[in-house]
């Protein structure tokens, strides 16, 4: 029997006044799959993932995590990496991770060391976070999201504005997690990043999914050389201002 997807969304909808931020969004992510949700500013990416991780209530639609409706139990299966850095600036990276692991009720100290290693922060783990570059702080944010060994890792534009070294470290961390069998939901407006990292891509515009497929399929359907051009072909607009 085929396994159910790790994430299944059907008809997900969110309205803010007269704006429909997310409009009947449906997609699935399988075990070990990296799914990129792409779209320009304001397309509805953050709103969509906020509903999936249940920090924003939905106005319509269904979400299943490992075949179960959202609950305290399914929350424990999700690692969420928001755009804003959630770490304490006056603590070191290791102190932050120990704090969050205690908050999650985790006793296994070795997990802190594992996530430091996975994000390339071991050597700087005892330095105070306020001395970190923006890219290193983002890596720590990801380390926090990895603490609970998530079945579904959700990342909101994790590489926006980071230096190339941190960007490569972040992409490496995400692919390693997917290789271990996690499902990854990744939002970005960097097309080349999605082409490199994602098994499948959904293109979101005005809250609606206007195309979905592997990067190769999308390029072939639109007859374009890259995903940036695919977006222009589909919407008549450039992806970034
Ligand atoms: N709390 C809110 N109240 C009112 N409108 C909102 C709210 N959050 C989002 N919106 C609107 O919903 C739409 C989708 O916004 P959202 O932040 O989800 O897009 P996004 O694709 O994540 O954009 P970005 O790339 O800038 O993060 C936009 O029109 C935005 O103005």
């Amino acid at each position: 029997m085929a396994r159910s997807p790790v994430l299944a969304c059907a008809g997900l909808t969110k309205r803010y006044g007269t704006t429909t931020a997310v409009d009947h969004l449906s997609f699935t992510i399988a075990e070990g799959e990296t799914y990129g949700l792409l779209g320009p500013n304001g397309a509805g990416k953050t709103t969509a993932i906020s509903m999936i991780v249940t920090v924003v209530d939905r106005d319509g639609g269904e979400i299943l995590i490992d075949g179960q409706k959202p609950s305290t139990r399914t929350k424990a299966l999700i690692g969420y990496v928001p755009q804003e850095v959630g770490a304490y600036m006056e603590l070191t990276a290791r102190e932050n991770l120990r704090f969050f692991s205690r908050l999650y009720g985790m006793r296994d100290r070795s997990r802190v060391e594992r996530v430091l290693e996975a994000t390339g922060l071991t050597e700087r783990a005892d330095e105070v976070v306020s001395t970190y570059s923006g890219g290193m702080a983002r890596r720590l944010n990801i380390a926090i999201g990895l603490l609970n060994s998530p079945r579904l890792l959700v990342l909101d534009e994790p590489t926006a504005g980071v230096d190339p070294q941190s960007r490569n470290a972040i992409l490496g961390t995400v692919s390693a997690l997917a290789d271990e069998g996690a499902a990854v939901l990744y939002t970005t407006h960097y097309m080349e990043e999605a082409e490199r990292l994602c098994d499948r891509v959904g293109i979101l515009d005005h809250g609606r999914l206007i195309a979905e497929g592997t990067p190769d399929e999308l390029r072939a359907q639109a007859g374009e050389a890259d995903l940036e051009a695919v977006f222009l072909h589909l919407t008549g607009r450039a992806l970034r201002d």
Side-chain angles (χ1 to χ4, degrees):
M1 196 178 78
R3 287 185 66 110
S4 62
V6 177
L7 173 68
C9 300
L12 215 51
T13 299
K14 180 71 187 179
R15 293 180 204 93
Y16 291 112
T18 54
T19 306
T20 305
V22 175
D23 194 358
H24 294 88
L25 173 64
S26 303
F27 67 99
T28 62
I29 312 181
E31 224 173 36
E33 187 177 36
T34 301
Y35 187 99
L37 206 50
L38 303 193
N41 289 335
K45 305 181 296 293
T46 299
T47 305
I49 65 180
S50 301
M51 287 189 278
I52 291 165
V53 303
T54 66
V55 297
V56 161
D57 290 335
R58 58 191 188 274
D59 292 320
E62 293 298 330
I63 299 167
L64 293 177
I65 313 280
D66 257 347
Q68 305 165 62
K69 290 189 172 166
S71 67
T72 314
R73 197 152 43 131
T74 61
K75 267 191 183 177
L77 303 173
I78 301 175
Y80 172 42
V81 183
Q83 272 180 36
E84 311 76 41
V85 173
Y88 291 98
M89 291 294 160
E90 68 278 17
L91 299 182
T92 68
R94 189 174 269 118
E95 285 167 345
N96 264 288
L97 289 164
R98 286 189 179 158
F99 170 82
F100 283 104
S101 63
R102 279 199 296 273
L103 193 67
Y104 299 152
M106 294 166 53
R107 292 207 175 81
D108 180 10
R109 278 278 176 98
S110 67
R111 187 69 197 157
V112 167
E113 301 311 315
R114 288 271 305 280
V115 300
L116 282 168
E117 197 66 46
T119 50
L121 288 175
T122 304
E123 280 180 20
R124 308 275 305 268
D126 293 318
E127 292 173 32
V128 172
V129 177
S130 59
T131 64
Y132 276 16
S133 68
M136 286 174 64
R138 291 296 195 92
R139 276 145 73 182
L140 176 57
N141 226 24
I142 295 177
I144 295 168
L146 294 177
L147 270 175
N148 63 339
S149 309
R151 285 274 294 153
L152 172 66
L153 180 68
V154 179
L155 303 113
D156 196 358
E157 300 194 22
T159 58
V162 309
D163 57 279
Q165 192 194 350
S166 284
R167 187 164 180 259
N168 283 332
I170 289 169
L171 296 182
T173 305
V174 171
S175 356
L177 194 80
D179 288 346
E180 287 168 20
V184 178
L185 174 55
Y186 193 96
T187 77
T188 182
H189 45 230
Y190 297 123
M191 285 294 178
E192 70 283 4
E193 205 166 282
E195 304 205 58
R196 181 169 147 195
L197 190 69
C198 299
D199 302 305
R200 275 190 311 137
V201 164
I203 297 182
L204 201 61
D205 191 34
H206 298 300
R208 280 179 293 118
L209 202 61
I210 57 170
E212 187 186 60
T214 66
D216 281 348
E217 284 166 357
L218 291 177
R219 278 192 298 262
Q221 276 164 23
E224 300 287 357
D226 61 64
L227 287 184
E228 198 99 31
V230 171
F231 186 82
L232 187 65
H233 177 97
L234 289 169
T235 66
R237 286 176 291 113
L239 188 65
R240 274 172 282 171
D241 307 329

